Amino acid sequence: MADTTSPWPHSPVKVGLVGAGPWARGVHAPVLATGPETELTAVWARRPEAAQETAAPHGAVAVARFEDLLDQCEAVAFAVPPDIQADLAGRAAKAGKALLLEKPIGLDVPSARRLVDAIDEAGVVSQVVLTNRYHPVAQEFLRAARDIEVAGARSACLSGAFLGGDFATPWRLEHGALLDLGPHILDLLDAAMGPIVRVRATGDPRKWVELTCEHESGAVSQASLSGSVAVEPGIMRVELFGPRPGLVYDNADLDHDECWPVLRQAFASAVRTGVSGELDARRGLYLQELIAQAAESVKV
């Protein structure tokens, strides 16, 4: 876990932001502008007026071109659809910029693999915003999970995001919960129980999909995913079971703002040391490959 209580010993990482939608305005921009580990320097988006509205409250500049953004930062954060991210992040990597990526890192495995190849070739730092992994409670849950024998798990990631509102976006409505929510739940199950070697799916990712994962240890986990059910607030819950009392991670009552200082410091530390952490683009590619395997089961 990042030590967010100690003084930051380096200069702030200058970060440019791609995107100006609700997630960029509500999370990326204020988190990156808060510091002291990072400084939001510039914002670029398809709509110049949206870029200006996102940049202005934080003292950043709105730029007219993606290339102008690259000129004003040493790292780039993305808050755009996965197909756009994969293309632009590859260009940013080739320009030598560290990358803060959203999940999924691409729209499909080939685009995700091309991005990872570009990152490896450039030798730049990358990090994926798998939100739950930065919360202190989730990190404690995963530490405890490593010390117990787990026979199986059940989990759920459910919301009504696809029913309307800011996050009922075209790519989410087309590809459904498997691509949008799948990275979160597969990452937690894999981190808690060991590598997933096989995953199968049943159902309709646009409505409700069930995953069954086989882990390298022989344990089995299951997950229910939907973005199209009327639950408020959303549900993110993982229950581990074994010969001793199990463990539960449930983010329903957590303060999600506790994630952001941990994420910001982890990313800035990776940039300043030149070493990516566990949640890098390769982790994103691994999760994307699991999702593709599951999608084959339901012919998404």
Side-chain angles (χ1 to χ4, degrees), residues 225-266:
L225 303 176
S226 180
S228 303
V229 291
V231 292
E232 184 61 39
I235 296 169
M236 170 64 79
R237 184 177 174 89
V238 177
E239 300 175 87
L240 307 181
F241 299 93
R244 296 184 178 181
L247 288 173
V248 176
Y249 170 70
D250 190 334
N251 75 5
D253 296 322
L254 301 184
D255 180 356
H256 298 290
D257 285 343
E258 291 185 39
C259 299
W260 310 130
V262 179
L263 180 150
R264 183 176 59 238
Q265 187 173 99

Side-chain angles (χ1 to χ4, degrees), residues 107-108 171-180 201-209 211 290-300:
L107 200 58
D108 51 30
W171 75 266
R172 289 184 173 93
L173 296 180
E174 179 181 354
H175 296 279
L178 192 53
L179 192 61
D180 184 31
T202 56
D204 182 348
R206 298 172 190 85
K207 296 178 181 178
W208 186 289
V209 64
L211 302 182
L290 293 178
I291 289 166
Q293 188 181 134
E296 280 296 308
S297 306
V298 291
K299 304 298 182 184
V300 175

